[in-house]
Amino acid sequence: MYLVRQMPINKRRQRGKQFPLWPSPNIYLNNAVAMSATCPGLYCGRIMFNGSVERDCGVCPRGERANVQKVCERCTESPQLYDWLYLGFMAMLPLVLHWFFIEWYSGKKSSSALLQHITALLECSVSAVVTLLVTEPIGMLSIKSCRVQMLSDWYTMLYNPSPDYINTLHCTQEAVYPLYTIVLIYYAFCLVLMMLLRPLLVKKIACGLGKSDRFKSIYAALYFFPILTVLQAVGGGLLYYAFPYIILVLSLVTLAVYMSASEIQSFKNLAAKKKRLVVLVSHWLLHAYGIISISRLDKLEQDLPLLALVPGPALFYIATAKFTEPSRILSEGGNGH
């Protein structure tokens, strides 16, 4: 027979009050945050106020990011060259699409394409300037940002921690401030300026087109602006790391398609029209932009010579076009050669 010492009833009651058998989940969450020297998760932090930490772990205000000590810190760095190149790429997308659809729907029936191209350039340029002016520091053509450290910085909503595996501590924020939202603001200004300027211009100068064809380039913009917005919202981080290679691949493909469609097989054909030279120079600028984005010009003595590769694709196409002409291949095949 075993003897069991029993605790007095009053002590058991006091112990039960101090340590309840089934504590609420909020107690676990508060204890986990309070006992931890640092905040849980990658992007949670504490807010500093008058030199002291005032609040518990949570989301940092806009324009701030949690540092190594898990304290929200103001974004005061200037964007790097690669960040500016990324913003330039995102700014060029609507402009290139504007030019493409203006050229596509204007055709050869109207002489207003050039004025529409200039108007599209004006819209995007003014939108870019206004976007920089309304971004902190307000009124200046410069921005203060937080440095991009890894891909997850673009998708903080996927990294909200659960210290007790029940409650989620929401710390979703713009860790790459302002690289994520500044593009969306720029697209909004582009859309507003297009709706204010382009319809009046097209109505006056696009007389060579039918009434149904005059505004097709504007209708196309109403489609691709939402697509660009979703692309930035969902794939902004992927575009940030992949845009140099996207520029190189697309510029090479579009240049080959254009030269093939225009039946350019020699330098004489290339120089026959000024428009072809403009298209060629534009693609060369895109090639150079992509090369600079990849190299980032970290070492000028090694990276600048890479720009000599810019004319390479066009020269290679012209040099090999006569050997790949379909009519010549068919004739040689018919002769048994």
Side-chain angles (χ1 to χ4, degrees):
M1 184 174 182
Y2 297 94
L3 297 177
V4 180
R5 295 184 60 185
Q6 295 184 355
M7 186 179 296
I9 296 177
N10 56 349
K11 291 185 177 181
R12 279 185 289 172
R13 290 176 178 174
Q14 293 177 0
R15 186 175 182 180
K17 291 180 180 180
Q18 295 176 359
F19 304 98
L21 185 60
W22 300 106
S24 63
N26 294 330
I27 294 179
Y28 280 128
L29 179 60
N30 296 332
N31 290 339
V33 174
M35 293 175 61
S36 177
T38 59
C39 294
L42 293 175
Y43 304 102
C44 297
R46 294 184 175 92
I47 297 178
M48 290 285 293
F49 184 75
N50 291 334
S52 60
V53 179
E54 293 293 331
R55 291 181 53 183
D56 294 334
C57 291
V59 59
C60 293
R62 187 173 186 267
E64 298 184 10
R65 177 176 177 171
N67 55 18
V68 179
Q69 290 77 25
K70 295 296 183 178
V71 176
C72 296
E73 189 177 28
R74 195 71 182 171
C75 299
T76 57
E77 298 182 2
S78 298
Q80 297 178 336
L81 174 63
Y82 188 83
D83 298 333
W84 284 114
L85 292 173
Y86 165 74
L87 294 178
F89 168 74
M90 299 305 294
M92 284 191 299
L93 285 180
L95 178 60
V96 172
L97 290 174
H98 275 314
W99 284 349
F100 173 79
F101 286 109
I102 289 172
E103 194 68 26
W104 180 270
Y105 290 116
S106 295
K108 299 180 180 179
K109 299 180 180 179
S110 176
S111 59
S112 64
L114 179 60
L115 291 177
Q116 293 186 58
H117 288 319
I118 296 175
T119 304
L121 178 61
L122 179 64
E123 294 167 2
C124 294
S125 301
V126 173
S127 299
V129 173
V130 174
T131 302
L132 291 176
L133 292 177
V134 299
T135 306
E136 293 185 1
I138 298 176
M140 299 180 63
L141 294 177
S142 60
I143 58 177
K144 298 296 182 181
S145 67
C146 291
R147 183 167 298 178
V148 180
Q149 301 176 2
M150 48 189 170
L151 180 61
S152 61
D153 293 346
W154 293 84
Y155 305 102
T156 56
M157 74 290 293
L158 303 178
Y159 294 89
N160 291 323
S162 298
D164 59 349
Y165 300 99
I166 298 176
N167 297 280
T168 301
L169 192 61
H170 295 281
C171 298
T172 302
Q173 59 185 287
E174 188 180 6
V176 294
Y177 174 87
L179 301 182
Y180 189 90
T181 54
I182 194 173
V183 177
L184 302 178
I185 296 173
Y186 166 73
Y187 289 162
F189 280 123
C190 286
L191 183 60
V192 171
L193 287 180
M194 183 198 70
M195 296 303 297
L196 291 177
L197 300 179
R198 195 84 62 82
L200 298 177
L201 176 70
V202 171
K203 187 176 181 180
K204 289 185 177 181
I205 67 176
C207 300
L209 299 174
K211 293 183 178 181
S212 61
D213 296 333
R214 291 183 184 181
F215 301 100
K216 282 189 175 180
S217 61
I218 300 178
Y219 297 152
L222 296 179
Y223 280 100
F224 69 68
F225 267 118
I227 295 175
L228 291 178
T229 302
V230 174
L231 187 64
Q232 166 67 10
V234 177
L238 300 177
L239 290 174
Y240 179 80
Y241 290 99
F243 81 89
Y245 309 97
I246 295 175
I247 290 177
L248 285 180
V249 172
L250 289 182
S251 60
L252 289 174
V253 172
T254 53
L255 178 62
V257 171
Y258 177 79
M259 296 182 74
S260 176
S262 301
E263 298 181 355
I264 300 175
Q265 298 182 358
S266 63
F267 292 102
K268 184 178 180 180
N269 299 133
L270 183 62
K273 296 182 180 179
K274 295 181 179 179
K275 181 179 178 181
R276 295 179 179 179
L277 294 177
V278 172
V279 173
L280 179 64
V281 173
S282 301
H283 280 83
W284 281 358
L285 294 177
L286 288 177
H287 295 343
Y289 196 94
I291 293 175
I292 293 174
S293 301
I294 292 176
S295 63
R296 306 190 185 188
L297 298 180
D298 294 330
K299 298 180 180 180
L300 293 178
E301 65 277 4
Q302 297 181 4
D303 298 335
L304 287 180
L306 295 176
L307 297 179
L309 300 174
V310 169
L315 298 177
F316 178 80
Y317 181 91
I318 294 176
T320 59
K322 57 183 179 181
F323 301 109
T324 59
E325 186 179 359
S327 59
R328 178 178 178 178
I329 296 175
L330 292 175
S331 62
E332 291 181 355
N335 295 332
H337 295 289

